[in-house]
Amino acid sequence: MARVICIMGIVYVHAWTGLTGPEFEALRGSAQDIMRWVMMDVFGRSAVPLLGLVSGWLVAGSSRVRNWGSHVARKARTILLPMVLWNVLALILICGSGKLFNLQVPWPPSLSWVFQEVFILTRPPDMNVQMPFLRDLFLCMVLAPMLVRWPGWALACVLALTGVCHIFDLGAPIILRVSILFFFTLGILVRRSNLADRITQWPLILAALPFLIVMPIQLCLTLTRDWDMATPEARELDLAVRIAAALAYWRVAWALTFSPLRQTFLKIEPYMFFYFCAHLILMWLGGPLLGKVFGKLGSPLYPIYFLTQPFMVLAVIMPIGMALTRYWPSAADLLSGGRLTGEPRRKTIPAWPEGA
């Protein structure tokens, strides 16, 4: 449940707008600009921390993680290899389509640029901008066999160090988004303390309250003031928003687990990694085409286009994933990191906790 709501929400961060930098500035503060920022922060950037936290939570409960060699080899197969393959596909499809159809897309200026786009060594890519999450998550997985053995006080020190690095924008080029290591480590601590299970017993409004308080503050500062998001003060507030968001979305995901939507979500979830990796390619290629129908940001029909983009992407991704699974299962297996194998996966719905 958490993967579905988080990954689909990321599309709002990368949604096609059709505008250049000066055009964005001209629309700053407009109704559609405010709508875009709200959806980006509430359903996009704010949901991402939970993905890192859940990864740490799952690792802390796995016995296989303690064998460093096999664990890293497995994660290279399920995280690193798909990242590289999708980056290669992005280069071929986006640059190739740009050349054929005269689209405004990046064109490789040098071999070193191509190398960076594919392997994301020291900087985020220009095209598949979501992929640094997988790069940094893999680094977290490399550290995981050590982290799961450390005592709580040592993990608390890791949290403090990564929190400071996030606030002062440190970590690159070793780890591009140090907040991912912060939430990965937090997920291990959450598993040890059984906090995730206890949160499921909280009233939904109580779990969401911190997020409902701090998110409007960040939005207000972003939209109504000349708020520099790169300052330590802004990044400190950003970290508080991310923590509150992870708490809120975990509780929302648990509520959805016992809602009428659960079967729909469980059918969608196996495609979510594939969705995460492919959606930027669809944004680059399909955005301008549909933009001719709905218009750019600021056009009367654009809000319909913007709000439905995650579902449009899903409507394309699932048939492609199904077709690959059926007719080219080896490709589906590689591109999904083993998540689409053609074999149905059993989903266990946990019992509602006593007293909840």
Side-chain angles (χ1 to χ4, degrees):
M1 298 298 180
R3 287 192 185 104
V4 174
I5 60 177
C6 291
I7 292 176
M8 290 188 69
I10 291 172
V11 173
Y12 288 123
V13 180
H14 305 141
W16 184 87
T17 63
L19 300 186
T20 61
E23 290 172 328
F24 267 124
E25 282 300 315
L27 283 176
R28 187 173 182 180
S30 65
Q32 289 194 20
D33 183 55
I34 293 173
M35 173 199 70
R36 175 174 168 270
W37 274 102
V38 169
M39 298 301 290
M40 282 170 54
D41 281 1
V42 172
F43 293 104
R45 293 192 186 99
S46 297
V48 172
L50 183 55
L51 293 174
L53 191 149
V54 167
S55 297
W57 183 78
L58 291 172
V59 158
S62 172
S63 58
R64 295 189 297 174
V65 71
R66 295 181 179 274
N67 187 325
W68 190 88
S70 63
H71 167 76
V72 171
R74 188 167 60 252
K75 295 307 176 182
R77 167 70 176 79
T78 60
I79 297 175
L80 196 61
L81 178 60
M83 181 196 81
V84 171
L85 293 176
W86 279 106
N87 286 341
V88 171
L89 279 175
L91 276 173
I92 295 171
L93 295 175
I94 296 173
C95 295
S97 298
K99 194 72 171 177
L100 287 173
F101 303 108
N102 196 29
L103 301 176
Q104 291 185 345
V105 300
W107 183 254
S110 65
L111 186 61
S112 63
W113 182 88
V114 172
F115 203 74
Q116 286 282 3
E117 289 292 302
V118 172
F119 297 103
I120 318 180
L121 295 179
T122 60
R123 64 162 180 82
D126 294 329
M127 289 188 294
N128 256 9
V129 297
Q130 84 279 20
M131 286 307 191
F133 176 82
L134 295 185
R135 174 207 187 268
D136 289 345
L137 180 62
F138 176 72
L139 292 180
C140 292
M141 291 299 180
V142 172
L143 296 174
M146 175 178 63
L147 293 175
V148 297
R149 288 180 169 90
W150 281 8
W153 66 265
L155 294 179
C157 290
V158 174
L159 277 185
L161 178 61
T162 52
V164 169
C165 288
H166 175 81
I167 291 169
F168 292 98
D169 197 18
L170 304 174
I174 298 173
I175 185 165
L176 300 181
R177 299 176 182 174
V178 73
S179 61
I180 294 173
L181 179 55
F182 177 92
F183 284 98
F184 185 84
T185 306
L186 183 60
I188 297 174
L189 284 171
V190 165
R191 184 72 176 236
R192 287 187 185 179
S193 64
N194 205 32
L195 181 60
D197 291 338
R198 286 183 289 173
I199 289 173
T200 63
Q201 301 181 46
W202 294 6
L204 182 58
I205 186 61
L206 179 62
L209 187 60
F211 183 61
L212 295 176
I213 292 173
V214 294
M215 171 53 69
I217 297 173
Q218 186 181 53
L219 277 173
C220 181
L221 291 171
T222 302
L223 294 170
T224 62
R225 297 189 178 189
D226 190 15
W227 179 251
D228 185 358
M229 296 299 292
T231 63
E233 295 80 9
R235 296 179 70 85
E236 186 176 5
L237 176 60
D238 176 70
L239 185 60
V241 171
R242 290 170 184 263
I243 295 171
L247 170 64
Y249 276 101
W250 178 255
R251 184 62 183 83
V252 169
W254 185 264
L256 287 172
T257 301
F258 299 94
S259 76
L261 294 172
R262 69 180 183 184
Q263 292 304 324
T264 300
F265 273 60
L266 294 180
K267 290 177 182 177
I268 294 172
E269 191 274 332
Y271 300 90
M272 280 296 101
F273 183 85
F274 197 88
Y275 181 110
F276 175 85
C277 294
H279 78 274
L280 244 299
I281 297 176
L282 295 182
M283 294 289 102
W284 279 102
L285 301 181
L289 296 176
L290 290 173
K292 294 181 181 297
V293 177
F294 294 96
K296 301 178 180 180
L297 179 69
S299 303
L301 293 179
Y302 181 79
I304 298 174
Y305 181 31
F306 177 77
L307 294 172
T308 56
Q309 281 189 47
F311 307 98
M312 290 182 179
V313 172
L314 185 66
V316 175
I317 290 300
M318 284 193 68
I320 292 175
M322 291 175 182
L324 282 176
T325 302
R326 182 171 182 178
Y327 298 109
W328 197 0
S330 60
D333 183 60
L334 284 173
L335 291 173
S336 69
R339 295 163 181 85
L340 293 178
T341 61
E343 299 177 359
R345 296 196 299 170
R346 294 184 61 187
K347 297 286 185 178
T348 303
I349 305 295
W352 189 258
E354 184 179 352

